[in-house]
Amino acid sequence: MSKTTRDSASAARVAAAIGALTLRATRAGLYGRLTSGVEGVDATTYPVLSGLARVGPVTATKLAEVIGMDRTVTTRYATRLQEAGLVARRPDPADARATRLVLTVEGERAVTALRGAMESFVAEEMATWPSGEAAAFAVRLERLTQSLAQGEADRSR
């Protein structure tokens, strides 16, 4: 088997795994598990809160683009998070007609709890892996993610 063939087979396996991971049902199940016990956040609002934590203060339109959600849905979920005290709306200094979504102190605490839950969940899932395999996987996943993000950045220029 040539290196290209072996790499193609591995790429197909990784692509299939990414596909399974990004299925709506898989994400919803994961989000539901992560948000259990975090006040004001559920599986539907999780992507908005998590996305906002990653990109910082941003308009709902920009956040919707980044997280891959419809703007009206993003706005609706942001309103729910605002009502829960996790998100606030502030004037956009670059455009007086627009508002930016920002995390509140409570929102930052919720994000910290959610990230801790994610780390615990992943650690639990990898606990039975052979020694060193989890660290090797982390390095390779980071490399793949960085490569994919760089490729996307290059295409958008």
Side-chain angles (χ1 to χ4, degrees):
M1 177 187 285
S2 73
K3 183 176 193 268
T4 303
T5 304
R6 186 178 68 241
D7 290 346
S8 294
S10 295
R13 290 174 59 205
V14 170
I18 290 171
L21 186 61
T22 58
L23 286 173
R24 182 182 305 260
T26 305
R27 291 190 328 263
L30 175 62
Y31 298 164
R33 183 171 176 178
L34 295 177
T35 59
S36 176
V38 180
E39 190 69 32
V41 188
D42 61 22
T44 59
T45 58
Y46 173 84
V48 173
L49 188 69
S50 177
L52 184 56
R54 292 187 190 288
V55 300
V58 67
T59 65
T61 300
K62 181 64 179 172
L63 181 60
E65 290 173 19
V66 170
I67 64 175
M69 212 179 251
D70 180 77
R71 183 194 54 79
T72 57
V73 173
T74 300
T75 299
R76 185 177 331 121
Y77 293 160
T79 298
R80 286 177 42 195
L81 292 166
Q82 182 179 11
E83 290 167 353
L86 304 175
V87 168
R89 286 182 163 87
R90 302 282 185 256
D92 185 339
D95 182 351
R97 300 165 297 165
T99 60
R100 285 187 177 185
L101 302 171
V102 298
L103 290 177
T104 63
V105 171
E106 285 302 315
E108 290 172 2
R109 285 190 192 117
V111 168
T112 298
L114 291 165
R115 288 182 178 162
M118 176 67 91
E119 289 172 20
S120 294
F121 171 72
V122 171
E124 182 181 308
E125 292 298 319
M126 295 188 311
T128 61
W129 292 15
S131 179
E133 197 170 300
F137 175 72
V139 167
R140 289 177 180 98
L141 182 59
E142 288 168 344
R143 184 185 311 156
L144 177 63
T145 303
Q146 289 167 357
S147 178
L148 293 172
Q150 183 60 49
E152 192 57 36
D154 291 346
R155 279 188 290 284
S156 67
R157 287 186 201 154

